[in-house]
Amino acid sequence: MKHAIRRRVLRTNPLPKGRESTAVTKTSNAVDKRSLMNADQAAALLDWIRRRPRGGMRLHASFATLYYCGLRPEEAVAMRVKDVTLPGPDDGDQWCELLIHTATPEVGKQSTDTGEIHEERDLKGRAEGETRAAPEHPDLTRILRQHIEDEQLKPGDLLFQGETGGVLAGSVIRRAWRSARKAVLPPHVFESPTGRRAYDNRHTRLTKWLNDGIPPVQVAEWAGNSVPVLLATYARCVEGQLPDLKRRLEAAGYLPELPDAH
């Protein structure tokens, strides 16, 4: 308002006296610890989705990737089969690697040049054309190998497709996730923030990596965040390391014993 008055857009400040000095409400991007799922809850939700009669197996693979890899949903729906490096079925090391290089968020038909609901973009927080890679658990290797075989996908195909072969719609993802929560979780948990959004699979995975002692620099690289953003977002969720930290501090904190003075 002061700027508008200086530029003579307004003659006077129309706000009630004192309102112009009201402090802006502080907000936080930190993850609510209550939104994180435990392993039993995540397993039950993924299993329910897998057993859905309509597209359950296909959706299960996409949700498993969110959970094991910590991807953003818009990154997962943009992945192609060729972005997944799978080991041979008989290899001793069954970890796979995912190459993440594009995001396809829903922005609405009115916001795209093509009239499509989705728009292809570079990765959030990354320079144009930049990619990142993440090694992923053997359980995900098994799921993705079976998914590619069942859907008869070719290297250039979208890894996770809608029923008509296009981009998997966010509405489908949200509806399936909500149905799984309602079917699996007790009423009081369903009404709580626990796993309320599909995005909470990412929050759960990144928190687990940090709690398992993986260095924040490495977690940030896999997650596509900067280290400061990662720590600011998940600092309240890191736990389980206090006993080890106490032992370290106790071992390093004693003063040396000095000989008695004579």
Side-chain angles (χ1 to χ4, degrees):
M1 293 300 179
K2 290 179 180 178
H3 176 73
I5 293 169
R6 285 197 300 269
R7 298 298 300 270
R8 298 186 178 180
V9 176
L10 297 174
R11 288 186 176 182
T12 59
N13 190 338
L15 290 177
K17 188 175 181 180
R19 290 292 181 89
E20 71 277 2
S21 61
T22 301
V24 176
T25 302
K26 294 183 179 180
T27 60
S28 172
N29 292 324
V31 169
D32 185 346
K33 189 176 179 179
R34 298 174 300 166
S35 69
L36 305 180
M37 297 171 286
N38 61 43
D40 289 338
Q41 290 167 338
L45 289 164
L46 291 177
D47 185 64
W48 187 92
I49 290 171
R50 181 178 64 84
R51 296 174 185 273
R52 271 178 50 132
R54 184 175 175 180
M57 295 295 290
R58 184 174 65 252
L59 285 170
H60 173 258
S62 66
F63 281 113
T65 301
L66 297 182
Y67 177 74
Y68 281 107
C69 194
L71 293 185
R72 300 177 178 94
E74 62 266 27
E75 294 171 342
V77 299
M79 290 190 66
R80 303 274 172 178
V81 176
K82 62 185 177 183
D83 299 328
V84 183
T85 302
L86 294 173
D90 299 325
D91 290 355
D93 185 351
Q94 283 296 302
W95 285 74
C96 64
E97 184 177 77
L98 273 59
L99 181 68
I100 304 103
H101 55 81
T102 310
T104 311
E106 284 186 332
V107 295
K109 293 181 179 181
Q110 72 279 3
S111 302
T112 62
D113 296 330
T114 62
E116 299 291 334
I117 295 175
H118 298 83
E119 181 178 65
E120 189 171 296
R121 297 178 179 176
D122 290 305
L123 297 180
K124 183 178 180 179
R126 297 279 175 131
E128 183 177 352
E130 191 174 348
T131 66
R132 74 178 194 270
E136 293 311 322
H137 198 277
D139 282 351
L140 184 60
T141 299
R142 174 181 50 79
I143 292 169
L144 292 181
R145 182 185 287 124
Q146 190 65 51
H147 168 69
I148 293 170
E149 180 180 331
D150 290 345
E151 298 293 318
Q152 299 182 341
L153 299 177
K154 298 178 176 59
D157 291 341
L158 286 169
L159 183 59
F160 308 119
Q161 302 178 1
E163 289 187 344
T164 60
V167 177
L168 182 59
S171 59
V172 174
I173 294 172
R174 291 188 292 271
R175 189 162 55 247
W177 188 249
R178 188 179 189 282
S179 296
R181 290 185 74 249
K182 192 168 186 178
V184 167
L185 301 177
H188 70 283
V189 180
F190 174 76
E191 296 296 336
S192 78
T194 302
R196 182 171 290 170
R197 304 179 302 155
Y199 206 103
D200 290 326
N201 282 282
R202 171 178 168 86
H203 291 326
T204 297
R205 175 54 48 185
L206 268 55
T207 299
K208 180 165 175 50
W209 280 340
L210 291 170
N211 283 331
D212 286 346
I214 297 177
V217 172
Q218 184 62 76
V219 174
E221 172 63 26
W222 290 344
N225 280 341
S226 68
V227 174
V229 167
L230 179 81
L231 295 179
T233 304
Y234 296 100
R236 297 178 184 175
C237 303
V238 178
E239 61 181 15
Q241 300 177 19
L242 185 57
D244 180 57
L245 294 175
K246 284 181 177 178
R247 286 192 294 270
R248 294 188 193 183
L249 292 171
E250 188 174 0
Y254 288 121
L255 292 174
E257 295 259 354
L258 298 178
D260 294 334
H262 297 288

